Structure formats: structure tokens, C-alpha cells
Amino acid sequence: MSTTDTTASASFSLEGPEPILDDAESRLVGEANPLVFQAVRVSHGALRSYGSRNDYDTDPIEDSFAGVEVDRSGGELTVTWCWDHEAAVFFNNGTSDHTIHGDPVLAFRFDESEYPYLAEMFPDGTAFLPEVNVSGLPQSRFVQAGLEWLRQEVG
């Protein structure tokens, strides 16, 4: 499992003779209902469960699934898959409490019943603020959930 500033990704590698790699590639990505796509479904299930527990909309992250890449060279097979939504890495790894700074301001819609103090300042339901302090996100580990499922299946 790796992350960059903009993606959350998983990678599964194995080494061996060509016939073993042929069979592994077939099972991982080549068959109907391949193991990697089952692992992605496990990840998406973990992500949806996380979103439900924390009242987060995780659909954009799930929708950002960028597909699977297969690399085979030098007696090694590597299968990599990722989600390229800018928040995927934060939902996966979590964050600490932090401040988000506008450029130059942040604009967001809010429910007036949940934020009556904002409704007084912004009666149309859209707030414009130079910065906001936000609570950190708990980690979901949705990427690892799928990767661990896959490791159990092939182990």
C-alpha cells in the first residue's frame, strides 16, 4: 500500500517461474470476477461503512477508482490499483485537527438548522470564510482492507 499527495493505491507483487506467473495473472486480473476486482469491492465496502459511521459522502472517492495496471518483467508480476480523488489518501490514512485556508476565501453550503450562528451571518445558506478549523478525520484503511483480503485469498 502506498500513498502520494493525490492518490491512495495498493500493489501486489510476486516472483516465480513464468507458468506460475501466468496462472497468478489469470487469477488476479484475467478471469471473470478476478481477485483484484473482488479486493476493490472489499475496499469499497470498507469505505462505504466508514462513510456511514462518520456521516461522510464517500461516493466521489469510490467513483475515482482509476483501474488496474499490470507490470510483468524479470520474473516478477506486479498488479497496482488506485483511487485518484484528492481526498482518498486522507480518508484512508486519516488526518489530525487542522486549519484549511481559503484562496482567498472558502465557500460552502450549510444546513441552517445545524449551524444557526452561520445562518445569522450568511442568511442565504452559503458561508464565505478566510479559513476554518476542522476536526481531523479518523483513518478508514479502506485500501488495506482490500489488500489484506487479497493476501488471505492467495495465501
Side-chain angles (χ1 to χ4, degrees), residues 9 11 22 32 37 43 45 57-58 67 80 84-86 90 92 98 105 109 118 122 126 128 132:
S9 63
S11 185
D22 289 342
F37 287 98
S43 289
D57 177 12
T58 59
T80 305
D84 62 8
H85 190 282
E86 62 188 17
F90 302 119
N92 187 67
H98 58 284
V105 296
R109 303 269 316 144
L118 286 177
F122 305 102
T126 303
F128 298 94
V132 294

Side-chain angles (χ1 to χ4, degrees), residues 31-111:
E31 301 175 341
N33 200 24
L35 290 173
V36 167
F37 287 98
Q38 292 179 54
V40 169
R41 282 196 297 272
V42 169
S43 289
H44 286 169
L47 181 61
R48 282 189 299 272
S49 177
Y50 166 82
S52 177
R53 285 190 314 272
N54 293 287
D55 196 28
Y56 298 145
D57 177 12
T58 59
D59 288 346
I61 294 170
E62 187 174 339
D63 293 344
S64 78
F65 177 68
V68 175
E69 290 185 20
V70 177
D71 180 36
R72 194 159 164 186
S73 60
E76 184 175 11
L77 169 68
T78 302
V79 182
T80 305
W81 57 100
C82 73
W83 293 262
D84 62 8
H85 190 282
E86 62 188 17
V89 67
F90 302 119
F91 274 57
N92 187 67
N93 298 346
T95 66
S96 59
D97 295 351
H98 58 284
T99 301
I100 299 174
H101 300 278
D103 182 20
V105 296
L106 299 166
F108 62 93
R109 303 269 316 144
F110 62 91
D111 182 340

Side-chain angles (χ1 to χ4, degrees), residues 106-133:
L106 299 166
F108 62 93
R109 303 269 316 144
F110 62 91
D111 182 340
E112 295 170 15
S113 64
E114 288 185 49
Y115 301 97
Y117 61 93
L118 286 177
E120 292 176 18
M121 294 185 290
F122 305 102
D124 70 346
T126 303
F128 298 94
L129 303 169
E131 64 183 31
V132 294
N133 294 319

Side-chain angles (χ1 to χ4, degrees), residues 1-2 9-14 27-28 35-36 38-39 42 79 81 141 143-155:
M1 205 296 296
S2 67
S9 63
S11 185
F12 185 84
S13 296
L14 58 108
R27 291 184 61 214
L28 290 168
L35 290 173
V36 167
Q38 292 179 54
V42 169
V79 182
W81 57 100
R141 297 184 51 82
V143 175
Q144 292 88 336
L147 191 54
E148 287 303 315
W149 177 90
L150 179 60
R151 287 184 178 135
Q152 289 177 1
E153 285 296 306
V154 298

Side-chain angles (χ1 to χ4, degrees), residues 132-144:
V132 294
N133 294 319
V134 296
S135 298
L137 296 171
Q139 65 179 350
S140 71
R141 297 184 51 82
F142 76 94
V143 175
Q144 292 88 336

